[in-house]
């Protein structure tokens, strides 16, 4: 313990590694600690300064600190309900302030109090005016259930290898909490040198941690049917109780239902703090859904990006399996483009271009920038959601797979949506990130044309928008693709770039498709679009070419009525879908 300004700070010098939950000596503090540092499994989770001594006031409070690979969460238990002031004490003690290589490090992380983001991209050295300098950040907090939660979260920003490996993620020196009222019992205790731990890879132990926390909060009523499977999951999200979700959705009132698909119904809800959420509900009786449920949590909780939908948490209670997402006001890109009339959104060309670039940036993150290289496997307009400003967010990671570069031929069944799957994957199960590139190309064509890729007429085989695009390219008339609703109000050069990028992405030969980072560069005009190399297998038979020509000519001539047809026919009457599965092949895994 150390006493400073009449405040006593409990020692928190445990060198706890990944996947820990423990109480401090006061028995009212606990912390969860999970994850491993990148490329450095032996890295310590408790650190001392790089400088030999610190000259700041109360230096003993900052001589050591707790660090975490991703997420660091402290819990204060048995507190009186009311208003508190949370003081977080920081000092950057792992970098130097000189002309050496060690001075180039940069640490950024987010701060949450009671689940609410109170400080984004917090930089200790910048806020304190340099390294080795102390700074205290006060935040108000309201305790309503006798528990206080303080979470520090690394969202992938800053440096990761300066001055050596695993110098990144949240770092904290001490925490003090003071009540703004006369507490009914001893409160305002402090905890020193602490910032808890990560959200990355400690799979089996984290499940036991979560169950322990739920048991502690007396909200685990009965054994969950997915208990064994969840023990194999690396959980990076909050845990909601069924009571919280029922209160938020008015007991899953049908008036709050905003969609339904292969996963189950989706409800809009409002949490007690005013946060608007979208809740996916799944019955545990569906084995197929169970796998998607686990896969989605495991994938998306480890990924944070402006163009990926944010997963707030989940609820696994009794036979209820629920995923809680941020609510996106404008539903899906599919509904905006080719939903029923009242659901369509007038998307001008700059907005369509912004949406296309955003999707490309999200995929570039998944394929090339994220620590976990992920192949989404089901990129389509239904799985692109739009926020209030019509910014796109990729959703639905139930089919996603880690990109194993040394093993590109998967052994599981092929899964995806007809019309969006790359041919080498659909026919041979050959899966790489180029499968997502192909799907993106199809979506880009849909954005330009305002039409669904796959349409069917009664007793006729499917007609693909992609085939029409290839036909128009052969005839030198690609501008016929442009959505008539745009009129003449669009940038012709940008349109041609997007169409040619889409055709390049949908090349039959997967090695000729560009990486998504190159796609972003081309769409933003920073690099030229390479000439599309046609493959003989892309060419249609004369009869099918003529059928395709006549079909899309009819659509153009009756655009006011044809917008509903493709959407309804190809998505199982899912005009009101939210981030849910639809139209999958039968043999999904």
């Amino acid at each position: 313990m150390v006493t400073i300004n009449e405040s006593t700070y409990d020692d928190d010098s445990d060198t706890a590694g990944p996947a820990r939950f423990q109480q401090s000596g006061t028995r009212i503090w606990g912390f969860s600690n999970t994850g491993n540092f990148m490329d450095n499994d032996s890295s310590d989770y408790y650190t001392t300064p790089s400088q030999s001594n610190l000259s700041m006031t109360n230096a003993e409070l900052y001589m050591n600190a707790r660090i975490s690979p991703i997420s660091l969460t402290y819990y204060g238990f048995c507190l009186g309900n009311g208003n508190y002031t949370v003081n977080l004490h920081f000092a950057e003690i792992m970098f130097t302030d000189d002309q050496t290589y060690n001075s180039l490090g940069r640490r950024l992380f987010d701060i949450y109090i009671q689940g609410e983001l109170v400080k984004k991209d917090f930089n200790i050295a910048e806020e304190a005016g340099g390294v080795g300098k102390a700074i205290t950040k006060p935040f108000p907090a309201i305790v309503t259930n006798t528990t206080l939660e303080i979470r520090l979260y690394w969202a992938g920003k800053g440096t990761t290898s300066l001055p050596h490996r695993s110098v990144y993620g949240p770092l904290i020196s001490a925490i003090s909490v003071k009540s703004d009222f006369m507490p009914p019992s001893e409160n305002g205790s402090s905890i020193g040198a602490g910032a808890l731990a990560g959200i990355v890879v400690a799979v089996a132990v984290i499940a036991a941690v979560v169950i322990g926390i739920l048991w502690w909060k007396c909200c685990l009523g009965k054994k969950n049917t997915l208990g064994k499977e969840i023990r194999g999951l690396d959980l990076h999200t909050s845990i909601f109780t069924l009571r919280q979700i029922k209160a938020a959705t008015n007991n899953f009132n049908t008036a709050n239902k905003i969609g339904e698909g292969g996963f189950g119904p989706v409800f809009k809800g409002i949490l007690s703090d005013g946060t608007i959420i979208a809740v996916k509900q799944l019955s545990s009786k569906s084995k197929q859904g169970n796998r998607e449920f686990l896969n989605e949590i495991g994938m998306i909780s480890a990924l944070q990006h402006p163009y990926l939908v944010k997963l707030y948490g989940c609820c696994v209670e009794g036979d209820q399996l629920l995923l809680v997402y941020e609510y996106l006001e404008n539903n899906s890109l599919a509904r905006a483009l080719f939903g029923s009339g009242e659901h369509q959104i007038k998307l001008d060309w700059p907005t369509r271009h912004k949406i296309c670039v955003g999707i490309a940036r999200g995929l570039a993150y998944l394929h090339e920038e994220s620590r976990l290289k992920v192949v989404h496997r089901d990129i389509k307009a239904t799985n692109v959601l739009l926020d209030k400003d019509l910014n796109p967010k990729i959703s639905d990671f139930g089919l996603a797979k880690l990109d194993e570069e040394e093993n590109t031929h998967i052994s599981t069944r092929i899964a995806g949506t007809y019309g969006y799957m790359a041919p080498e994957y659909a026919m041979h199960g050959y899966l790489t990130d180029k499968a997502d590139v192909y799907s993106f190309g199809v979506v880009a064509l849909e954005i330009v044309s305002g039409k669904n890729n796959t349409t069917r007429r009664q007793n006729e085989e499917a007609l693909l928008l992609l085939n029409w695009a290839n036909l128009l390219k052969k005839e030198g008339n690609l501008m016929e693709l442009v959505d008539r609703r745009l009129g003449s109000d669009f940038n012709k050069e940008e349109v041609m770039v997007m169409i040619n990028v889409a055709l390049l992405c949908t090349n039959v030969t997967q090695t000729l498709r560009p990486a998504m980072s190159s796609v972003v560069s081309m769409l933003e005009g920073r690099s030229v679009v390479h000439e599309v190399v046609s493959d003989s297998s892309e060419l249609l038979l004369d009869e099918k070419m003529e059928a395709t020509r006549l079909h899309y000519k009819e659509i153009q001539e009756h655009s006011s009525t044809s917008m509903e047809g493709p959407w309804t026919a190809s998505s199982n009457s899912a005009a009101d879908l939210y981030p849910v599965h639809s139209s999958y092949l039968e043999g999904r895994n």
Side-chain angles (χ1 to χ4, degrees), residues 245 248 267-271 275-279 312 324-327:
I245 302 301
F267 296 87
K268 179 181 178 181
I270 303 178
L271 296 175
T275 301
I276 303 177
I277 58 175
V279 181
Y312 288 150
V324 181
Y325 290 93
E326 61 177 320
Y327 175 74

Side-chain angles (χ1 to χ4, degrees), residues 220-336:
L220 187 60
K222 52 184 176 179
K223 183 179 179 181
N224 188 275
T225 56
L226 280 185
K228 292 182 179 179
E229 292 184 74
I230 288 186
R231 288 189 181 91
L233 179 68
D234 177 18
L235 187 63
H236 299 174
T237 60
S238 300
I239 299 295
F240 292 87
T241 66
L242 185 57
R243 178 178 294 182
Q244 286 177 299
I245 302 301
K246 284 184 174 181
T249 61
N250 193 16
N251 198 22
F252 303 107
N253 193 304
T254 54
N256 292 326
K257 188 175 178 180
I258 55 178
E260 184 161 6
F263 188 100
V266 183
F267 296 87
K268 179 181 178 181
I270 303 178
L271 296 175
S272 58
D273 63 359
T275 301
I276 303 177
I277 58 175
V279 181
K280 281 186 182 182
Q281 185 184 42
L282 170 71
S283 169
S284 62
K285 297 177 182 179
S286 168
K287 293 182 179 179
Q288 207 172 68
N290 288 358
R291 287 192 294 270
E292 293 166 8
F293 180 88
L294 297 171
N295 198 53
E296 183 132 2
I297 296 176
M299 287 290 184
I300 199 170
S301 62
L303 303 169
Q304 296 289 330
H305 192 269
Y307 295 114
L308 302 183
V309 69
K310 183 176 181 181
L311 179 68
Y312 288 150
C314 66
C315 174
V316 182
E317 193 168 328
D319 62 352
Q320 288 286 343
L321 306 177
L322 304 165
L323 292 174
V324 181
Y325 290 93
E326 61 177 320
Y327 175 74
L328 298 174
E329 293 79 355
N330 283 305
N331 212 282
S332 73
L333 174 62
R335 193 170 80 160

